[in-house]
């Protein structure tokens, strides 16, 4: 059972999240400010942190920086909660090392889904060698070896292309907006913008040749990996 630490000063939000996480079978720890949160995170055993930005004392951005600097806590995925949907806040949050963010108010169901996805991703990154390659259509994507095979032949993808392909392949049939795709890769070899997602997708499709059509464009929304 994964343990989730909630760092949030507003008690009703803290309780709402705790309640929903416990209902979904997670173990929960809570902290009402950044210092208490850092202290609890450093005790170990935490698998994911939900971090509010607006906190008394040290704010969520600072907390995130500390978490990502400390070798004990830097691999714990951080999901930031922001009351503001300003792009700058989101970008700044991601720059401080947050793995994902959610804008308040949010639906508990969506929050749980994002937590599950963040935990899956961290287990894949963290477990490295343990992560199981994805096989889908005629593709085999092995994250631990950073290898993509198409009908058994290696495909030469850039780091960003690889991350996007892997992200889509992990969720076949699901449509993602360009921003969700950006969030999932955070520009590994150069800054990814909404427009450059299109360029990356184009590149991936070209390299997949006849199989390029497994990545479908969903007009007005974004992209999805065709389900099998
Ligand atoms: Ca707050």
């Amino acid at each position: 059972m994964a343990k989730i630490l909630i760092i949030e000063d507003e008690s009703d939000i803290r309780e709402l999240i705790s309640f929903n996480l416990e209902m979904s079978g997670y173990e929960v720890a809570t902290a009402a400010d950044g210092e208490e949160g850092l202290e609890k995170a450093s005790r170990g055993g935490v698998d994911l942190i939900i971090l509010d930005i607006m906190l008394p004392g040290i704010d969520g951005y600072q907390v995130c920086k500390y978490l990502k600097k400390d070798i004990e806590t830097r691999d714990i995925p951080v999901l930031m909660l922001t009351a503001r949907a300003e792009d700058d806040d989101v970008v700044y949050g991601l720059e401080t090392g947050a793995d994902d963010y959610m804008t308040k108010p949010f639906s508990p169901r969506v929050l749980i889904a994002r937590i599950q996805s963040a935990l899956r991703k961290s287990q894949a990154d963290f477990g490295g060698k343990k992560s199981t390659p994805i096989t889908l259509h005629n593709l085999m994507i092995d994250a631990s070896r950073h290898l993509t095979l198409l009908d058994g032949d290696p495909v030469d993808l850039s780091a960003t292309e690889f991350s996007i392909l892997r992200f889509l392949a992990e969720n076949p049939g699901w449509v993602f907006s360009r921003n969700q795709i950006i969030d999932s890769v955070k520009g590994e070899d150069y800054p990814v913008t909404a427009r450059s997602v299109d360029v990356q997708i184009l590149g991936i499709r070209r390299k997949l040749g006849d199989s390029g059509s497994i990545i479908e464009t969903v007009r007005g929304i974004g992209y999805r990996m065709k389900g099998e």
Side-chain angles (χ1 to χ4, degrees), residues 8-10 52 54 104:
E8 163 68 81
D9 59 315
E10 284 160 79
D52 185 32
M54 303 295 280
K104 294 179 187 174

Side-chain angles (χ1 to χ4, degrees), residues 22-109:
E22 281 166 359
M23 292 296 283
S24 303
Y26 292 104
E27 194 182 331
V28 175
T30 58
D33 62 45
E35 284 185 10
E36 188 189 357
L38 286 170
E39 199 264 317
K40 288 194 171 166
S42 66
R43 281 190 216 160
V46 173
D47 297 295
L48 182 139
I49 295 171
I50 297 175
L51 175 62
D52 185 32
I53 292 178
M54 303 295 280
L55 292 168
I58 44 175
D59 68 19
Y61 296 127
Q62 294 300 323
V63 172
C64 193
K65 282 186 190 165
Y66 287 128
L67 288 169
K68 294 299 173 185
K69 249 189 260 170
D70 186 340
I71 193 154
E72 298 290 324
T73 54
R74 68 204 228 183
D75 292 319
I76 306 173
V78 174
L79 202 166
M80 267 191 178
L81 295 181
T82 165
R84 308 169 291 187
E86 305 290 333
D87 282 351
D88 286 351
D89 295 331
V90 168
V91 168
Y92 186 56
L94 295 174
E95 277 171 0
T96 64
D99 298 80
D100 200 356
Y101 67 90
M102 285 202 70
T103 308
K104 294 179 187 174
F106 48 82
S107 99
R109 203 167 49 84

